[in-house]
Amino acid sequence: MSVFTGAGVAIVTPMHEDGTVNFEKLGELLEEQISAGTDAVIICGTTGESSTLTHEEHLAAIKYTVEKVNHRIPVIAGTGSNCTETAIYLSKEAESYGADALLLVTPYYNKATQKGLKIHYTAIANAVKIPVIVYNVPSRTGCNVLPETMADLVKSVDNIVGIKEASGNISQVAKLMSLVGDQIELYSGNDDQIVPIMSLGGKGVISVLSNVAPAKTHEIAASYLAGDVEKSRRMQLEAIELIDALFCEVNPIPVKTALNLMGKEVGPMRGPLCEMEEKNVERLKKAMKDYGIL
């Protein structure tokens, strides 16, 4: 059984104006996502600014989310690190809180060889019992999980079950699926590639777009899963302008800006992230208006 199928939201971490985590607002966002049909929530991922949360904040956000969601949809905790021991610590804590699965980004800055990736992921997975989803986003980490490496991990480690593929390389994804087929749970990590990834056997998407358009993002994936490929394709293309605007500056700057424009009051970003350039704010506003969410 898959960790989830459909659209999982890579949820933002709301902040008070002083930069502290706004748990009350996080609770409101979680309720809105569940009400809109979101199929899973991913807490403390890239979009959640995990890299600038303290370990205490990081774990508090995971614990709060698990308790607030209360088994209504799966909660996937981002517990990756460029330090294997830190990732093991965060992962074991998340498991103890009741997280349904873990999302583990590839080691960043120090990177790793393919041999090192196998050792890293195997050590973390062996330290817990819940499912592990590998997060491959080489544009941010400088580290690419090759298809052969991922295939070996899925075949040799029981609880490494899936991958969030954000390489943008459809040929690489096709190669991976040719090696492991239905042995792996494949999720798109790019909102502009939901349909292409699902056409190769993907289960859905781990989405930034879902923060601002949860019902429509859910419907893109649900329509595909229900066999209405044409509707899914059409909805995917209708969302492209907004998706491009949500990534015109580094994520999560635009999506937090979009939520604030919608009156959600999710607060500022933590440094080194900063407010959007005004020309990009105008681009974002136009895309949101055209999409019908502003």
Side-chain angles (χ1 to χ4, degrees), residues 91-251:
S91 297
K92 289 171 74 172
E93 289 295 302
E95 180 181 42
S96 75
Y97 302 152
D100 295 286
L102 305 173
L103 182 69
L104 300 175
V105 71
T106 50
Y108 40 86
Y109 186 68
N110 49 359
K111 306 183 184 181
T113 63
Q114 298 301 302
K115 177 181 177 181
L117 287 174
K118 291 180 186 180
I119 295 169
H120 175 77
Y121 280 117
T122 300
I124 302 166
N126 285 343
V128 296
K129 293 182 172 61
I130 57 177
V132 166
I133 299 171
V134 171
Y135 178 17
N136 190 36
V137 58
S139 65
R140 294 190 79 120
T141 65
C143 189
N144 184 27
V145 183
L146 295 179
E148 295 80 4
T149 300
M150 192 64 215
D152 187 54
L153 284 167
V154 170
K155 291 175 181 178
S156 61
V157 186
D158 288 344
N159 60 329
I160 296 181
V161 301
I163 187 167
K164 175 185 176 183
E165 245 299 341
S167 68
N169 187 338
I170 292 295
S171 296
Q172 177 169 306
V173 178
K175 176 65 173 178
L176 171 63
M177 296 308 280
S178 76
L179 294 173
V180 289
D182 59 6
Q183 292 177 262
I184 193 169
E185 297 171 26
L186 170 66
Y187 299 99
S188 176
N190 294 322
D191 284 306
D192 60 354
Q193 293 184 343
I194 302 171
V195 172
I197 292 288
M198 293 186 76
S199 75
L200 291 171
K203 303 291 186 181
V205 61
I206 294 176
S207 171
V208 174
L209 176 66
S210 189
N211 280 279
V212 296
K216 286 187 176 182
T217 311
H218 164 80
E219 196 171 353
I220 293 171
S223 296
Y224 195 99
L225 291 167
D228 194 344
V229 176
E230 175 55 29
K231 179 181 179 182
S232 181
R233 183 194 67 83
R234 186 177 69 253
M235 292 186 71
Q236 168 81 92
L237 296 179
E238 288 170 351
I240 292 297
E241 180 187 0
L242 176 57
I243 292 165
D244 286 349
L246 287 171
F247 290 90
C248 68
E249 291 189 18
V250 69
N251 179 52

